[in-house]
Amino acid sequence: MVTPAIALAFLPFILTLIIRYRYYILLFYRAVIVRKIQDYRTGMTREERVFQYVITHATPGYPDSILDTFDHWCYNFEYISNVGPKKGKLLDRLISENNPVNVLELGTHCGYAAVRIANNLPLGGRLYTVEMDTKNAAIAEKIVRLAGFDDDVVELIVGVSEEVIPQFKDKYEVDCFDFVFMDHWKRCYLRDLQLLEEERLLREGTIILADNVIFPGAPHFLQYVKTCGKYQCKVHRAHLEYFKSIRDGMAELTYVGLHTTLLPHDSDGMKETENAFTLKQILY
């Protein structure tokens, strides 16, 4: 039995932990506790709730209206792991600057990033976006079509990335991708990148942008791209979507094959990734 004296002795330690990890605790509350309460109260999933909000408040055919409505919901009602408006600007810029014809997105979720990418594609550009969850894929399909993009611009593929990637050359007649956006399970980043290499779906100059490499983190992925000699790598420091007090980052890679000089390691980024708070296992 814990005596009041012992409990009181631990109080400063507990308060220190609460203060130190208060933003992560808030994230846990918004992403997990609120979600479960709302699931029970509404009888709908979080993704269904955000879709209902978007379809009610956004203007059909206007991608910016769709995205702004998403962001308003995520800031004011429930947390959802979109790329968000801040990191989304980097995604927008890289698409606009590189004018990719064939783009691959791994992890469609509700279609937020798919709308951002499609909105910045050049004439004739095409996005292939892969989502493993059938319910989320159905919602994403509606969001993308609501934004005004048809099958000629955005093709949504339902399936596991590991199984879909080897099908691109034969089934989808894609020779290679000019741009890849990774925002699915972080533990799959390295596996899927190596699979893209094996299937020769990357050309010299292909841009790969990987989200959340600091939090919740993808340390093995970062270790590989910084040491394998196939990529030029830059980590863009940012904050977690819709949480300014939690540090995060996006890795921008340029595929150059095996004839490159490696850039210096971002040791701080690696350390932050390896020490990410264990809450990541619950949220992602």
Side-chain angles (χ1 to χ4, degrees):
M1 182 176 180
V2 179
T3 65
I6 295 176
L8 189 61
F10 276 97
L11 186 58
F13 174 71
I14 294 172
L15 289 175
T16 300
L17 286 180
I18 291 174
I19 293 171
R20 182 176 181 180
Y21 294 112
R22 61 191 181 279
Y23 299 117
Y24 299 96
I25 293 170
L26 179 60
L27 174 60
F28 178 81
Y29 170 74
R30 289 195 61 201
V32 179
I33 304 299
V34 172
R35 178 180 183 177
K36 289 184 179 297
I37 292 172
Q38 291 294 85
D39 285 353
Y40 177 79
R41 190 182 68 82
T42 64
M44 295 190 297
T45 65
R46 176 183 58 179
E47 290 75 16
E48 289 171 333
R49 290 192 294 276
V50 70
F51 171 69
Q52 290 297 324
Y53 187 83
V54 169
I55 200 172
T56 303
H57 294 82
T59 304
Y62 288 84
D64 288 339
S65 176
I66 303 291
L67 296 171
D68 289 344
T69 305
F70 251 113
D71 292 333
H72 185 268
W73 190 85
C74 292
Y75 275 122
N76 296 282
F77 297 101
E78 293 182 65
Y79 173 83
I80 195 167
S81 56
N82 302 317
V83 66
K86 300 298 184 181
K87 290 186 289 184
K89 290 181 180 178
L90 174 62
L91 176 61
D92 295 345
R93 178 174 64 80
L94 290 176
I95 294 290
S96 297
E97 289 178 351
N98 290 280
N99 293 314
V101 175
N102 289 321
V103 179
L104 171 64
E105 179 189 22
L106 298 176
T108 316
H109 202 186
C110 293
Y112 179 95
V115 171
R116 294 199 83 107
I117 294 170
N119 197 36
N120 289 280
L121 284 177
L123 186 64
R126 186 172 176 81
L127 168 64
Y128 299 85
T129 180
V130 181
E131 173 58 45
M132 64 178 293
D133 188 291
T134 55
K135 291 183 178 179
N136 289 347
I139 291 169
E141 180 92 27
K142 295 174 184 176
I143 290 288
V144 169
R145 305 311 171 210
L146 185 69
F149 302 109
D150 59 23
D151 288 331
D152 292 332
V153 178
V154 179
E155 180 166 354
L156 198 154
I157 302 167
V158 183
V160 179
S161 56
E162 186 180 20
E163 298 173 359
V164 173
I165 290 172
Q167 300 175 3
F168 274 114
K169 284 190 178 290
D170 294 332
K171 185 174 180 179
Y172 298 98
E173 299 181 346
V174 176
D175 183 53
C176 63
F177 289 107
D178 306 304
F179 192 99
V180 178
F181 179 53
M182 308 181 85
D183 195 16
H184 55 323
W185 292 105
K186 314 314 163 193
R187 63 174 179 267
C188 299
Y189 279 15
L190 177 56
R191 180 200 70 189
D192 289 346
L193 182 67
Q194 292 176 328
L195 191 54
L196 288 167
E197 295 172 359
E198 292 169 11
E199 296 295 328
R200 298 187 177 181
L201 287 165
L202 305 178
R203 62 165 178 80
E204 186 172 345
T206 294
I207 304 296
I208 300 100
L209 185 65
D211 194 16
N212 303 124
V213 295
I214 301 298
F215 184 89
H220 299 297
F221 170 82
L222 285 180
Q223 180 73 26
Y224 174 76
V225 300
K226 290 180 178 182
T227 58
C228 69
K230 301 177 184 179
Y231 301 92
Q232 292 179 345
C233 179
K234 179 192 302 182
V235 175
H236 297 271
R237 299 308 181 94
H239 59 74
L240 185 67
E241 49 272 15
Y242 312 114
F243 267 86
K244 293 182 179 180
S245 300
I246 297 178
R247 288 186 292 180
D248 192 16
M250 304 180 85
E252 177 192 345
L253 317 176
T254 303
Y255 184 69
V256 293
L258 292 172
H259 50 283
T260 181
T261 301
L262 291 176
L263 296 178
H265 281 28
D266 185 348
S267 58
D268 290 339
M270 289 294 295
K271 184 177 180 181
E272 286 183 52
T273 302
E274 292 168 356
N275 294 332
F277 190 57
T278 54
L279 174 63
K280 66 185 180 181
Q281 302 296 335
I282 301 172
L283 299 176
Y284 291 80

